[in-house]
Amino acid sequence: SSSSSSSSSILLLPSFRTRGSVTPATMPLAAAFAAALAFAAMPAGRAVPLRLPSAGVGGFPDCAPGMKCFQLTPYAGRDLVFDCATAPANSSSPNSTGAGRVMFLHGNDGPRAKAMWALMMRAFAGRGYDTLACDQRGFSPGASPYSKGEYHYDSLAGDIFALADSYFGEGSRFHLVAHDQGARVGWHAAAPGVGRGGGQARSRYISYTPLSEAHSDAFSDALYGSDTDAKQQTNFMYLRQFTLPNESVLAYNENIWKHVCRDAYGYATPQACQPAVWWYSGAIAAGNLAVQPLAAFGPIGSLIGIPEEYVKEHTPYPLEGLPQSTRVGEVTEYPVLYVCGAGDIADLCNDRFRDETARRVANFSYLQVESCGHNLVSPQKCSEYQNVIDEIVSFVEAAS
């Protein structure tokens, strides 16, 4: 577990294995753009004021310090060029097997978001791991086709393995660390029939660390069905705004473009931002993500400011919602460390999601970061970022 000075801890529910000591626990925007809502570090239990930060807060450098940057073209016959980075591994401890490979997926974390992983990648590199992070489809300028159908989650899941094949080697096994919608895609890749060859995650992940995202089945069950979570439904209601038809960033006075893309993330044009927003439509089209019944917006939707009546008139989905149709199911093939921030208002970090994810994962670990919200690896946005990095590195080393 974390040091005594930290309020976070690795938790394994009874009957699950753990590393080291365990802190006793009581059993009992989308997410990506929630990053646009700055969560300052705060004492556990204290409310955080909601605010949209100044322009460019989501921006990252083209190539972060300590990284080696390059491009990958993983598909023969398709001109999809991904901007990628690695942290050169410590040559004194080379890794020659899949146990020494770690891949990182950002979510809707803004332009050049591969750089969000730089500190963690350097930590892994110092231990001899080969690392890879790419600006994903819709974020790499050379891999951002302007068509909603290109962002179907099956295609995004396929990108995981195509990029791994291209960089690590055909059929390589690797650890996956992913945030936000990238983490949701990481879960989806384990669903039967998804990705190239179907469910490749089950044979190719050595371990999986999703940040901010509970098991996809657990999250969708909280949105739609007989046992929903009212707060999660309300807080995630902005899904209805992001998935408005055609170019949703331009809907209703261009509110998503103005308040999220431009002001929060510093995108240059609406067309540069729209592919990232299409990920949400792709999640629903793939059956990974349920849609909750339309109702009043929560804090993020209210800040975006597209009225409920406008959404009611234009939403492409039934007002009563849609169930998840592609279930991930139980994960037994690799260990999972689910990390979330207690202050996250987009993807709630609570006992329900902990327990429902644990129920679906045979080898489950959990880290709740009390002083942080949706952003968990940024020194500017999470006071416990180093503890998060250390716990993930420790988890991966134990699984290697």
Side-chain angles (χ1 to χ4, degrees):
S1 69
S2 23
S3 66
S4 58
S5 62
S6 170
S7 58
S8 301
S9 61
I10 288 283
L11 168 68
L12 260 293
L13 302 184
S15 83
F16 294 98
R17 291 185 299 128
T18 186
R19 335 182 292 282
S21 59
V22 179
T23 297
T26 321
M27 285 291 295
L29 252 216
F33 289 107
L37 300 172
F39 287 102
M42 78 284 189
R46 182 172 299 176
V48 182
L50 292 175
R51 57 190 173 89
L52 284 172
S54 58
V57 77
F60 294 100
D62 288 333
C63 192
M67 298 293 104
K68 176 183 177 182
C69 296
F70 52 92
Q71 292 182 322
L72 291 175
T73 307
Y75 294 108
R78 281 215 69 185
D79 188 24
L80 292 176
V81 182
F82 292 80
D83 297 329
C84 301
T86 187
N90 182 345
S91 59
S92 65
S93 56
N95 286 273
S96 58
T97 70
R101 304 180 180 105
V102 188
M103 187 173 185
F104 298 84
L105 304 180
H106 64 75
N108 284 338
D109 293 296
R112 303 170 297 280
K114 65 181 181 299
M116 68 178 283
W117 300 112
L119 292 176
M120 193 181 302
M121 291 170 73
R122 285 161 55 187
F124 275 108
R127 290 161 172 80
Y129 285 84
D130 195 4
T131 59
L132 176 68
C134 298
D135 292 330
Q136 295 189 75
R137 187 184 299 220
F139 293 81
S140 286
S144 296
Y146 206 73
S147 171
K148 183 187 296 187
E150 291 279 356
Y151 302 94
H152 191 285
Y153 261 31
D154 287 7
S155 297
L156 298 177
D159 288 346
I160 298 173
F161 305 109
L163 289 165
D165 287 346
S166 180
Y167 183 72
F168 293 135
E170 190 76 26
S172 53
R173 301 189 69 225
F174 52 91
H175 303 272
L176 186 68
V177 180
H179 178 241
D180 183 73
Q181 286 248 63
R184 190 170 284 132
V185 173
W187 284 114
H188 184 63
V194 168
R196 296 187 307 164
Q200 280 199 62
R202 296 183 181 268
S203 62
R204 297 190 61 181
Y205 292 178
I206 300 169
S207 72
Y208 182 40
T209 303
L211 279 70
S212 305
E213 297 296 334
H215 189 293
S216 293
D217 301 356
F219 189 81
S220 281
D221 287 350
L223 297 180
Y224 182 94
S226 60
D227 186 25
T228 56
D229 183 304
K231 184 175 182 181
Q232 184 63 82
Q233 287 178 311
T234 299
N235 284 20
F236 198 59
M237 197 64 67
Y238 63 90
L239 173 68
R240 293 277 192 166
Q241 297 166 320
F242 283 163
T243 56
L244 287 167
N246 304 317
E247 295 174 297
S248 60
V249 301
L250 300 180
Y252 194 77
N253 300 320
E254 305 181 347
N255 275 28
I256 295 173
W257 157 243
K258 293 174 182 175
H259 299 313
V260 178
C261 302
R262 184 191 66 189
D263 295 347
Y265 282 126
Y267 277 98
T269 66
Q271 290 71 33
C273 181
Q274 182 64 70
V277 180
W278 276 332
W279 278 45
Y280 299 89
S281 299
I284 298 167
N288 169 268
L289 183 63
V291 180
Q292 67 272 59
L294 180 62
F297 290 104
I300 298 173
S302 296
L303 283 171
I304 293 170
I306 301 177
E308 183 181 345
E309 283 304 310
Y310 181 93
V311 174
K312 182 177 181 180
E313 181 178 350
H314 294 92
T315 179
Y317 306 115
L319 299 182
E320 65 272 19
L322 280 175
Q324 180 196 35
S325 59
T326 302
R327 305 287 281 185
V328 173
E330 185 180 3
V331 174
T332 61
E333 295 84 356
Y334 47 84
V336 173
L337 168 61
Y338 167 36
V339 183
C340 60
D344 197 333
I345 62 166
D347 304 295
L348 300 185
C349 179
N350 58 26
D351 290 351
R352 171 183 173 136
F353 285 134
R354 177 197 67 192
D355 297 345
E356 288 300 306
T357 301
R359 187 168 66 83
R360 294 170 168 87
V361 175
N363 187 348
F364 176 74
S365 300
Y366 177 70
L367 174 63
Q368 184 181 68
V369 188
E370 292 295 336
S371 67
C372 302
H374 193 69
N375 296 282
L376 294 162
V377 296
S378 166
Q380 291 76 33
K381 299 175 183 177
C382 179
S383 62
E384 292 189 69
Y385 78 94
Q386 189 61 55
N387 180 58
V388 173
I389 292 173
D390 292 345
E391 293 285 13
I392 293 172
V393 170
S394 178
F395 171 75
V396 168
E397 287 187 316
S400 296

